Amino acid sequence: MKEGKAREATDELASYLRRDPYDVAARQTYLILLYQQGRYAETACQATSLLKDESSWSESALVYRALAEQSLGQTARALMDFRDAAVNVSAPRAERVFAANSEIELLIRNGNFAEAQKALQGIAREADDFAFYYRKGIVADALGHDVDAQSAYQSAINKAIKDSDRATALAAAGQVAMRGSRWAEASGLLRAAHEIEPHNIDLIRALVAVDRHLGKYDEAVTLMRAVLAVAASRRDREVLAELSVSRKEWVRAAEQYTALLEEPGGVEDRYRLTMTLAQIYQQLGRHLDAEATLRKAVSIKMTPEGLGTLATQLDMDGRTSEATQILETSAALSPSAQVHAQLSVLYEKLGNRAAAITHLKDALRMADTPLLHERLGYLYAGNGSYASAAREFEQATPRRRPGLWHIHIAELYAKAGDRSSELAHLDLAAAEPLEPASRRYVERQRGFLHSQLGDTEQSIEAWRAAVAAGLDDSAIHQDLGFALLQLQRWDAARAEFLRSNEREPSPRTLYYIAQCYGKLGQPDIALNYLKLAERDAQRLDPSTRKALYDELGFGYSADGKELEAAAAWRNSLGVRYDAPIALKLALAERRLGHTDEAETTARAIPYAELTVPQRIMRAELIAEILEGKRQFSVARAALVEAAELQPTAEHAHRLGLLAQRAGNDSQAVDDYETAVAREPDNLLYAESLAYAYRRAGRTREGEEILERIVARYPDRVAAYRELAYTQLALGRQNDAATTLRQGIDAQLATTPPSESERASEALPAMRAEYQTLARRFATTVYESYRANGGPAVGGTLNGGVIPSAGGAELSYFPAGALNRSDAALQFTGRLFWTTANELAIDRQSIQAGLSVRYKPLAQTNLFVGAERLIKVGADTRSDWLLRGSFGLGNEVERQADRTHWKYWQFYADAGYFVSSRTEATYLEFRRGVTLPATANLLITPHVVLAYRQQSPDPSRTSISEGGPGVSFKYLFRGSRYEPHGPTFDALLQYRARLSGRGHGDWVLTGVARF
């Protein structure tokens, strides 16, 4: 053993112990030699043998067995033996401490730090050296007790005797500070250790890490180059490359990482280095290289990180669709909230909000965070799903000062149309502290929502709170005005609208001020405000502008200004078509006399947009317009609509009138019968029915109705007239005359004595009609004088086809001849003559005539007849005259209550003399004005044109004349039943010769009729 021959010594001891196995000292020496030679199994056996024998049992044998077991990897047995040795109080202190330290060392090595901590506590009183505190620091550090670890290491630093121990403790304390991110403290500790061991590579590496965190990249580079100069490793070169990245030396970093990738390495290392190189390329702007490098990294190891970075690069290059596919692969490979959130962003960029929402929902299922709810809320909002967006934002509501957040949610519910939820969040916002501007917004909006939900009182309260918060603009007072208007607080509403207009003049506000004044019973002031609003009407929204024009129309119409009302309603329809207003416009146009415009407007009104009363009014209006245009059939068709909607007697009567005027007598009868059936006591309807019966040929029925009327209403003058006409239609002319006499008596009986007979318009007409009906004979005497004589045109008084200067004529009108009352058949006898230069009658020219005339048409003055001319004077001869005459215009007759009236007359006469085979034609036209000089004297200045043609004409009597003239007609007083008695007409004309033999001259004619 002294010569250092441990093996030989061991063999000698083994040989010796075979001879004397109970030598305890030899056995213990043998045990030590076995352990020193690394013969741990034999050491354990020998130690076990010693421990079995009480005589040879020793603490050292137990310790050596534990050391051998530790070397053999029998950790549990070793720990048990170390623990037994440490607690053996009979053992020397040094051995117990060694055993305890060995146990602690083994526990630390095996990572059993909790047990190690207990063991350290067990020897705390026994140990107070560097090793104890160092191990205590290791255990506390491992258990995460940074403060205890730092304290223990500091004690170890203080207890260290050797510089190497102090350096070790300083390095350990530095590592604890690094893990706690106390970089400045870590730097101090590690630099102190580095000063002791300047060549300690691990210390230098730790200092590099600290300098990197402190931003001391230059110092870190210097230290790392020192490491590389001594013991270069792949990791050290990688750290140097990382420092280049930190210093933003991108080109150098790219070179360094490229070099690192050329070295052999594992998958993880190559993946990590490739990813970093891709990031460097991105910084250099080499996007294609970055993409290629990222694809290479993914090919090395497909990870979510790599796929995500590649997707980001593709997105930056504008290849969002490819980026999306890459991330879909990542999601399939390793789904995570982050990947789904990133996919959501990409799909949103692609415009596929549905997919973006789907992926964000997937992210929320993996990580339910407020941030993800917020992002999903924005997506829903962008997609127009405002209610869903609001619900997501509700789940992301912050706990501190959530007022503005509630406002934002309320705005989303507003867009979703959920007024109740919007109001709920505004109420929550109102309960929170808010800036004045936000407070004003919230209260205003709350007022609006309460108004929308029908809670007007609450809306007023909210808006007044907004005013109290400093909101004093035009709009808030206008809103208050509307709310008060809704509650019919007219005066308070007017005050708010006036305040609104003071702050910002507005036609809309003026319109509502007018509304208030109208409700307060001040229409004139209301109309003035409407006019003020109209000046700036284009600023109004269409609805209010239309309402303004509507109200203006009503105001003007009530004021009697139909033209202005029509213009206002026309403007209203220009804003937006409205059937009731169109009907108002049509009525106004009708009142203005613009019938065509009124009809066009009324017909354009859609039927379905009118109420039943409005439909009736429209139909009546169209019918009235068409009636004015004399389109009676169309007017009746229009009125039928009103009658169907409102079947009244009045409508039926109006239908009958229109049918009657259209000539549809049978339809008129039906309509009048309906009217009478609905109102049997209505006198007008009964009279109309009687008249319709007569026109429809049911004259007898008409007479019966009229007889009942006059019997019931003996003062009904119009009924007498209608009865007379009916009796005439039945051919009973004498009865008709009698009825007219009764009508005249009734008229005179109802006229007060203080009033003139002219007070009745019907009386002159009835007298004229009676005079015609009662007439049986008529006598006419006339005489003309022409100073220079010569051929003359005879004229209408003396027969146009036979020239004569004077004559006398007696006519007979048989009553009811041919069942007519218009003197359709006339018998006449006459004498006529010519004169010389004086008024004396030329007896040689006297001729007599007997004639019969027939009037074929009741409403036309056309007569045909035959006359036997009888020779009386020597210059005449007998002949047959076939004759036809036609007249238009009117005689000079009296017209009540008129200062003048137009007069015109056209007369045509054609005849054929049978024996002489002579044809003669006479035409005369007069045009003038009649002036009533007195009640009985009528003066009629006029012009006259006359033409006579005869063939053959040997005496050249065919001439034409023309010139001015004047008529003086005197009407003698009539009887009770006739308008006047005999008449005398003095006619003075200057007739200038226009063609034919002779010359112009004055002609004086006198005519007396009896």
Side-chain angles (χ1 to χ4, degrees), residues 277-307:
L277 180 59
Q279 295 170 6
I280 292 169
Y281 282 141
Q282 288 176 342
Q283 293 296 329
L284 287 170
R286 295 164 58 180
H287 299 298
L288 292 177
D289 291 336
E291 180 191 346
T293 305
L294 285 169
R295 290 189 182 279
K296 186 175 181 181
V298 170
S299 67
I300 295 170
K301 182 181 179 181
M302 187 174 291
T303 65
E305 176 199 11
L307 293 170

Side-chain angles (χ1 to χ4, degrees), residues 99-359:
N101 283 332
S102 298
E103 177 191 2
I104 293 167
E105 187 72 28
L106 185 56
L107 288 169
I108 291 171
R109 190 180 304 165
N110 290 333
N112 196 345
F113 299 107
E115 291 297 324
Q117 188 178 40
K118 292 179 181 179
L120 284 166
Q121 292 172 352
I123 65 167
R125 295 181 180 180
E126 302 290 340
D128 189 30
D129 57 358
F130 166 81
F132 171 76
Y133 287 110
Y134 180 70
R135 290 191 180 96
K136 184 177 181 181
I138 292 173
V139 171
D141 191 7
L143 292 172
H145 304 160
D146 290 348
V147 176
D148 293 340
Q150 196 70 27
S151 176
Y153 284 138
Q154 188 62 48
S155 297
I157 293 169
N158 296 334
K159 294 290 184 178
I161 298 173
K162 296 188 291 186
D163 288 340
S164 59
D165 289 343
R166 183 178 293 106
T168 301
L170 286 167
Q175 293 292 336
V176 172
M178 287 173 65
R179 282 192 291 276
S181 299
R182 302 190 302 276
W183 303 110
E185 180 184 345
S187 177
L189 292 168
L190 291 173
R191 289 194 185 283
H194 183 251
E195 290 176 359
I196 297 171
E197 297 180 353
H199 302 296
N200 188 323
I201 301 301
D202 292 333
L203 274 175
I204 297 173
R205 289 171 176 154
L207 271 172
V208 169
V210 170
D211 285 341
R212 289 177 66 183
H213 281 95
L214 291 173
K216 299 177 180 181
Y217 301 123
D218 293 341
E219 294 181 20
V221 168
T222 301
L223 290 170
M224 184 50 65
R225 284 177 178 165
V227 172
L228 290 172
V230 176
S233 69
R234 179 187 179 87
R235 177 56 193 158
D236 292 332
R237 286 193 295 276
E238 187 176 345
V239 170
L240 184 61
E242 290 172 357
L243 284 169
S244 296
V245 171
S246 299
R247 296 171 72 184
K248 297 184 179 179
E249 296 176 346
W250 306 115
V251 175
R252 179 176 296 174
E255 294 172 352
Q256 290 169 336
Y257 275 100
T258 302
L260 285 168
L261 284 168
E262 291 175 355
E263 300 177 9
V267 171
E268 291 295 335
D269 288 341
R270 292 184 62 76
Y271 168 76
R272 177 170 42 80
L273 294 173
T274 305
M275 287 294 296
T276 305
L277 180 59
Q279 295 170 6
I280 292 169
Y281 282 141
Q282 288 176 342
Q283 293 296 329
L284 287 170
R286 295 164 58 180
H287 299 298
L288 292 177
D289 291 336
E291 180 191 346
T293 305
L294 285 169
R295 290 189 182 279
K296 186 175 181 181
V298 170
S299 67
I300 295 170
K301 182 181 179 181
M302 187 174 291
T303 65
E305 176 199 11
L307 293 170
T309 307
L310 176 58
T312 302
Q313 179 62 50
L314 291 169
D315 183 39
M316 289 171 58
D317 292 342
R319 296 154 66 184
T320 307
S321 181
E322 293 182 49
T324 304
Q325 294 175 4
I326 294 295
L327 278 181
E328 289 285 7
T329 303
S330 176
L333 177 66
S334 178
S336 67
Q338 181 181 357
V339 171
H340 283 294
Q342 193 173 354
L343 269 170
S344 174
V345 172
L346 292 179
Y347 275 119
E348 185 179 9
K349 289 181 71 174
L350 289 172
N352 189 346
R353 283 203 177 95
I357 290 171
T358 300
H359 279 286

Side-chain angles (χ1 to χ4, degrees), residues 332-485:
L333 177 66
S334 178
S336 67
Q338 181 181 357
V339 171
H340 283 294
Q342 193 173 354
L343 269 170
S344 174
V345 172
L346 292 179
Y347 275 119
E348 185 179 9
K349 289 181 71 174
L350 289 172
N352 189 346
R353 283 203 177 95
I357 290 171
T358 300
H359 279 286
L360 209 49
K361 285 181 177 178
D362 292 339
L364 273 168
R365 280 192 286 271
M366 298 177 184
D368 193 340
T369 66
L371 179 60
L372 289 177
H373 281 294
E374 182 180 352
R375 287 183 59 187
L376 183 56
Y378 283 118
L379 279 177
Y380 276 133
N383 204 31
S385 302
Y386 300 113
S388 299
R391 287 191 289 271
E392 294 300 326
F393 281 115
E394 284 175 341
Q395 298 186 64
T397 304
R399 294 183 179 179
R400 293 184 69 256
R401 300 182 67 84
L404 293 177
W405 196 265
H406 285 301
I407 292 174
H408 180 54
I409 295 173
E411 289 171 346
L412 289 171
Y413 275 123
K415 292 179 180 178
D418 188 345
R419 300 298 188 193
S420 298
S421 298
E422 180 189 2
L423 180 58
H425 277 278
L426 286 174
D427 288 341
L428 291 172
E432 296 291 335
L434 293 171
E435 294 293 328
S438 298
R439 173 72 59 191
R440 292 192 289 270
Y441 167 78
V442 167
E443 295 296 351
R444 166 174 269 176
Q445 195 66 10
R446 286 180 68 235
F448 171 75
L449 289 172
H450 279 303
S451 176
Q452 291 289 308
L453 295 172
D455 194 346
T456 309
E457 291 286 0
Q458 287 293 326
S459 69
I460 293 172
E461 180 181 338
W463 282 326
R464 284 182 172 156
V467 172
L471 186 60
D472 192 30
D473 59 11
S474 173
I476 191 66
H477 289 292
Q478 194 175 81
D479 290 338
L480 276 167
F482 289 143
L484 292 164
L485 200 68

Side-chain angles (χ1 to χ4, degrees), residues 780-785 794 797-799 802-809 830-835 839 841 845-847 1005-1006:
T780 303
V781 178
Y782 62 92
E783 182 66 45
S784 296
Y785 172 71
L797 298 172
N798 48 22
I802 303 176
S804 63
E809 181 179 293
R830 64 172 177 160
L831 288 174
F832 52 95
W833 55 81
T834 60
T835 62
L839 290 174
I841 297 175
S845 66
I846 297 175
Q847 189 169 17
T1005 305

Side-chain angles (χ1 to χ4, degrees), residues 757-831:
E757 292 183 1
R758 296 183 189 177
S760 171
E761 295 180 0
L763 187 58
M766 285 194 298
R767 283 173 167 170
E769 290 164 356
Y770 173 76
Q771 187 178 49
T772 300
L773 291 176
R775 183 179 61 175
R776 295 294 174 269
F777 295 95
T779 302
T780 303
V781 178
Y782 62 92
E783 182 66 45
S784 296
Y785 172 71
R786 189 163 188 153
N788 294 323
V793 176
T796 60
L797 298 172
N798 48 22
V801 296
I802 303 176
S804 63
E809 181 179 293
L810 175 65
S811 297
Y812 170 65
F813 309 97
L818 304 177
N819 292 322
R820 299 262 295 272
S821 62
D822 56 344
L825 187 64
Q826 302 175 9
F827 297 95
T828 304
R830 64 172 177 160
L831 288 174

Side-chain angles (χ1 to χ4, degrees), residues 939-973:
I939 301 174
T940 306
H942 60 273
V943 294
V944 60
L945 292 173
Y947 169 76
R948 184 181 186 280
Q949 185 270 337
Q950 179 177 314
S951 177
D953 187 15
S955 302
R956 299 175 62 190
T957 59
S958 297
I959 60 173
S960 61
E961 297 177 322
V966 61
S967 167
F968 298 91
K969 185 172 185 178
Y970 186 81
L971 293 84
F972 292 91
R973 181 178 296 277

